[in-house]
Amino acid sequence: MIFGIKEKKNPNKFTREREERELVKTVIKRVQDSTQEFDQEEDTVKG
């Protein structure tokens, strides 16, 4: 569950599900990117 993101109210189930999948992919990519940046910063501090 992701808080702070408004649900789509598109009545077409197929379209709504596709949009939601794309949104989830975007959120996951941003989390992965921020995690990689944190790991790189941590390596720099430890190095």
Side-chain angles (χ1 to χ4, degrees), residues 31-41:
V31 169
Q32 287 174 335
D33 289 349
S34 66
T35 301
Q36 288 174 354
E37 288 175 18
F38 178 76
D39 288 345
Q40 288 173 354
E41 288 175 13

